[in-house]
Amino acid sequence: KTRKASRRKRNNKTKKKLSKIKKIVKIFKQYPKIFPRGYFRFLEGTLREKFQNKEIIFKNGVVLTWKKYKVNPGKYTKYNFQKGDIKINQLVNKKQGNGKAKKIFLNFLKKHRNVNVILDVLTTNERAIKFYKKNGFVKVGQTKFGDLPGIIMKRKKIEKIKKGG
C-alpha cells in the first residue's frame, strides 16, 4: 500500500467519525430541557475522545457513553465505587419510547455485571430516573449540574451465586 492510499483511508475514517459526531449532536439537541445550550460547548470534543477511547455505542439512533475508571474516583468512593467501575455519562435515544435504548443499555449492563455502575441525572428528568430505577439502579446521593440539582444512582455489581454446596 502506498502512503497516499493509507492517508486517504485514514481521512475517510475521520470524515465518517465527524459525520457520526454531527448526527449524535443533533440527537442531543432534540432535548433542550435535558441538555441546555451551554452543554454543547465541549460535546464534540468529548464525543471524539469517547470514540478514541472506545467508550461509546452509537447504534439505531441510541447514544451511550461511559467512563471506566483506571484510578479510584475520589468523588464517588463514598458510594463504594472503585477502580475498574463504570460511570455512565450519557444515554440518549433519537426516538424515545421505541425500546432501542433499553435494549442497548441492558446489554451493556449485562456485559459489565461484574463491576459497579454509577450515573448522575437531573432531578427534573423524571422519565430517565424511572427508567434507571426499573433497571436496577437506586438513588445513593445528590449532585449538581452547574446550579441544577441532580441525583447519583448506582447499580451494584451482580455477584455470582454459587451452585450446589
Side-chain angles (χ1 to χ4, degrees):
K1 252 194 316 192
T2 66
R3 273 192 210 180
K4 221 178 197 179
S6 49
R7 196 177 307 127
R8 209 174 304 126
K9 191 175 179 180
R10 207 172 35 244
N11 285 342
N12 284 341
K13 275 187 179 178
T14 304
K15 281 179 187 171
K16 280 183 183 174
K17 201 180 286 179
L18 286 173
S19 139
K20 277 184 183 179
I21 288 171
K22 298 275 183 225
K23 286 178 185 171
I24 291 169
V25 169
K26 248 181 158 171
I27 293 170
F28 278 83
K29 285 184 175 178
Q30 287 180 214
Y31 305 103
K33 285 183 179 160
I34 299 165
F35 306 107
R37 254 189 16 240
Y39 190 84
F40 298 96
R41 194 167 49 209
F42 303 109
L43 185 60
E44 285 188 29
T46 301
L47 292 171
R48 259 195 303 279
E49 192 179 302
K50 292 294 176 193
F51 274 109
Q52 206 171 351
N53 297 337
K54 296 178 176 43
E55 295 176 330
I56 187 168
I57 295 170
F58 178 44
K59 187 178 174 185
N60 298 327
V62 176
V63 183
L64 172 63
T65 70
W66 66 91
K67 172 92 181 142
K68 187 171 192 163
Y69 282 91
K70 292 176 178 80
V71 295
N72 258 12
K75 182 181 176 184
Y76 301 110
T77 48
K78 66 180 174 187
Y79 307 113
N80 198 23
F81 199 69
Q82 48 212 241
K83 180 181 170 186
D85 287 344
I86 291 174
K87 177 173 184 299
I88 301 284
N89 297 117
Q90 298 136 331
L91 175 63
V92 189
N93 190 349
K94 187 177 181 179
K95 293 187 176 102
Q96 276 189 346
N98 67 4
K100 289 181 179 174
K102 181 179 181 176
K103 188 177 179 185
I104 287 169
F105 190 64
L106 292 179
N107 281 338
F108 181 85
L109 292 178
K110 191 175 175 185
K111 185 178 175 189
H112 299 283
R113 68 178 157 269
N114 59 338
V115 297
N116 291 305
V117 179
I118 204 163
L119 54 86
D120 30 35
V121 59
L122 284 169
T123 49
T124 55
N125 194 349
E126 292 167 19
R127 184 182 184 129
I129 293 168
K130 196 170 148 186
F131 172 81
Y132 295 130
K133 280 182 178 174
K134 244 193 235 178
N135 292 293
F137 282 77
V138 293
K139 179 183 171 184
V140 293
Q142 294 180 303
T143 190
K144 289 240 181 233
F145 296 89
D147 50 357
L148 300 173
I151 63 170
I152 299 169
M153 299 183 86
K154 179 180 172 184
R155 189 222 48 188
K156 289 190 170 110
K157 59 183 159 187
I158 299 161
E159 305 293 341
K160 289 189 175 125
I161 299 165
K162 290 180 183 172
K163 291 181 182 172

